[in-house]
Amino acid sequence: NNTSAFNVDTKNIIFKIADLKIHKLKFDIDFKIGWFDNADIDMGFSMAYKGLNGRFIKELKIWHEETESFKYFIKKGYNRGRLSYKVANKWNLSKQFVNLDFVNWKNYLKSIKHWPGEYKKYFSIIEKGNLLSFFLIKLYERFFLKGYVKQSMAEITANS
């Protein structure tokens, strides 16, 4: 049961350290802003590029604490969006992280008609869920998109 590059980020994945050493792969510290990082996602793409696969172990329970601070939650979404632009730019991924059509509020509001299906999708995966959790996910996605767009504009400006 192999993994995709997207699944390396804090999932139930094991892989051989020897493979990483042979290919001289390590976590890239450039994918960090303050306490927020996407080095694990970048590592997934580095491994995939070298043809290395991890193995998904369902029984392996991996978790990390989430914030109880609303301000930190929003900041995390924004900065993860910025970092995801960097990953997308490095690995030539155009539409894997965000739907840029949703920058336009009119398009975003039109997407609400699909939310009941998304709710079912999220909470068929997540054991416990409620409507508030779903709306917080949607809010997080909005700040993620904002960070992604902000980073893209900053890099375009810097390269001009």
Side-chain angles (χ1 to χ4, degrees):
N1 188 6
N2 294 332
T3 61
S4 80
F6 283 107
N7 288 338
V8 175
D9 73 323
T10 64
K11 301 290 191 292
N12 309 7
I13 306 298
I14 61 172
F15 46 86
K16 295 178 183 176
I17 297 296
D19 287 342
L20 300 182
K21 288 180 179 179
I22 289 168
H23 293 283
K24 298 180 181 165
L25 296 178
K26 58 184 178 178
F27 289 100
D28 188 340
I29 61 171
D30 288 336
F31 290 96
K32 184 175 182 181
I33 298 173
W35 289 96
F36 311 101
D37 77 85
N38 274 14
D40 46 1
I41 295 172
D42 178 62
M43 175 62 85
F45 284 100
S46 296
M47 290 173 62
Y49 181 76
K50 296 287 186 176
L52 302 174
N53 291 310
R55 185 156 173 81
F56 177 78
I57 306 294
K58 183 178 180 180
E59 296 77 25
L60 185 63
K61 300 297 180 194
I62 304 294
W63 63 274
H64 55 88
E65 289 187 37
E66 290 295 341
T67 182
E68 293 184 12
S69 161
F70 186 72
K71 181 181 176 183
Y72 184 84
F73 172 76
I74 297 300
K75 195 174 182 179
K76 178 180 177 182
Y78 179 80
N79 284 306
R80 290 292 301 252
R82 289 178 59 202
L83 290 163
S84 292
Y85 177 80
K86 289 176 161 242
V87 171
N89 195 33
K90 177 178 178 180
W91 295 104
N92 298 315
L93 308 168
S94 59
K95 297 182 180 181
Q96 281 79 354
F97 290 105
V98 296
N99 182 341
L100 291 174
D101 291 338
F102 291 163
V103 171
N104 177 309
W105 274 98
K106 185 178 178 183
N107 290 339
Y108 181 71
L109 293 173
K110 285 181 184 177
S111 78
I112 290 173
K113 67 183 174 191
H114 301 291
W115 286 14
E118 287 183 35
Y119 178 86
K120 287 178 186 173
K121 184 177 107 178
Y122 276 122
F123 295 113
S124 67
I125 298 167
I126 301 170
E127 291 176 19
K128 296 179 183 175
N130 60 43
L131 204 50
L132 177 60
S133 297
F134 180 73
F135 285 127
L136 288 171
I137 290 168
K138 299 311 280 179
L139 181 65
Y140 182 92
E141 288 176 352
R142 198 71 203 153
F143 279 91
F144 183 98
L145 176 61
K146 187 173 181 157
Y148 187 97
V149 170
K150 175 78 172 184
Q151 188 66 35
S152 70
M153 298 307 292
E155 292 194 22
I156 288 168
T157 302
N159 294 328
S160 299

